[in-house]
Amino acid sequence: MKKLVTTKSLEIKKKNKIISMAILCIAVVISAFTFMTQETTKNIDQYLYSENALIFGNQNAKVTIVEFFDPACESCRAFYPLVKSQIKKYKGKVNLIVRPVAFHKNVGPVVTALEATKIQGKYWDALSTTLYNQSRWAINHTANVELLYPYLQDAGIDIEKLKIDMTKTVITDKLAQDTLDAKTLKVLKTPTFYVNGVKLTTFGDAPLKALIASEVKKAYPDN
């Protein structure tokens, strides 16, 4: 016997069709959002991670902190020990890349000098020395690279060679790229932190620690 199509059954079919269409639309939106998020991350990554970047910590760590910093920035000096302590805390799971920007007056030569110390294999020693003695070469927020040279020399850096290296194209090109990447990412203040591509939006010790912890948990879910 042929079934009669009732008004109620038609309404149920109509509702099911609407629900199915709604589910399909949600799935499309989620897929599009996921794709856009992945593409955005890729786009950010090309500006965050410079070619042949010098890494502090385990080269194979799954969590990378990228810090845009100005060597004359007092907050950068204050945060540096905290960042290093986080790298130590997570025992090989977190590393650091620093990208210099020249926001303070006359700090350009200091940024160039720091970059040039890489040629002598002394970058991290030079950075620690520069930040530790910041108040002695950056007076009233105005940098003077001549005042920095004696401290770099005490750190084992050949100053005469350093001055020659500072003029090399490989150094000036690298700094130009750092500046361009910072501009593209709209880095307007220092320090600016990214952890695995996620920008720290609330400034402070606790928010930075929380962001690092979150990314470590994602990268190492079984630990």
Side-chain angles (χ1 to χ4, degrees), residues 65-69 76 79-80 83 96-99 191-193:
I65 303 168
V66 176
E67 177 185 356
F68 286 88
F69 83 106
C76 296
F79 266 83
Y80 190 59
V83 173
L96 169 69
I97 295 173
V98 292
R99 307 286 304 275
T192 291
F193 292 101

Side-chain angles (χ1 to χ4, degrees), residues 15-76:
K15 285 181 180 178
N16 288 340
K17 187 176 181 181
I18 291 171
I19 291 170
S20 297
M21 289 179 66
I23 292 171
L24 179 61
C25 288
I26 291 169
V28 169
V29 170
I30 291 172
S31 297
F33 178 77
T34 302
F35 175 77
M36 288 174 65
T37 301
Q38 290 173 344
E39 286 300 302
T40 301
T41 301
K42 287 180 184 176
N43 290 339
I44 288 176
D45 284 356
Q46 66 180 312
Y47 302 115
L48 276 182
Y49 309 111
S50 60
E51 188 177 357
N52 301 318
L54 199 60
I55 296 174
F56 181 83
N58 180 12
Q59 306 288 304
N60 298 315
K62 295 180 182 179
V63 177
T64 297
I65 303 168
V66 176
E67 177 185 356
F68 286 88
F69 83 106
D70 181 321
C73 162
E74 293 179 359
S75 294
C76 296

Side-chain angles (χ1 to χ4, degrees), residues 99-169:
R99 307 286 304 275
V101 288
F103 287 163
H104 283 73
K105 187 176 180 181
N106 298 339
V107 80
V110 174
V111 170
T112 305
L114 277 174
E115 189 66 27
T117 63
K118 291 179 179 179
I119 296 175
Q120 297 186 41
K122 294 281 188 178
Y123 181 76
W124 296 112
D125 290 338
L127 180 58
S128 295
T129 296
T130 298
L131 293 175
Y132 181 78
N133 293 289
Q134 186 187 81
S135 63
R136 297 179 174 92
W137 59 264
I139 301 167
N140 297 325
H141 302 286
T142 301
N144 185 339
V145 72
E146 295 294 334
L147 297 177
L148 175 61
Y149 286 143
Y151 300 106
L152 294 180
Q153 189 170 34
D154 289 344
I157 293 159
D158 183 334
I159 300 302
E160 293 309 311
K161 177 173 172 27
L162 181 69
K163 290 178 180 179
I164 295 170
D165 291 341
M166 287 168 67
T167 65
K168 291 182 177 179
T169 303

Side-chain angles (χ1 to χ4, degrees), residues 168-181:
K168 291 182 177 179
T169 303
V170 66
I171 298 299
T172 55
D173 286 352
K174 174 64 171 58
L175 293 176
Q177 188 62 55
D178 285 332
T179 300
L180 182 60
D181 288 345

Side-chain angles (χ1 to χ4, degrees), residues 1-6 9:
M1 182 182 289
K2 193 174 181 180
K3 270 190 176 181
L4 292 175
V5 179
T6 64
S9 65

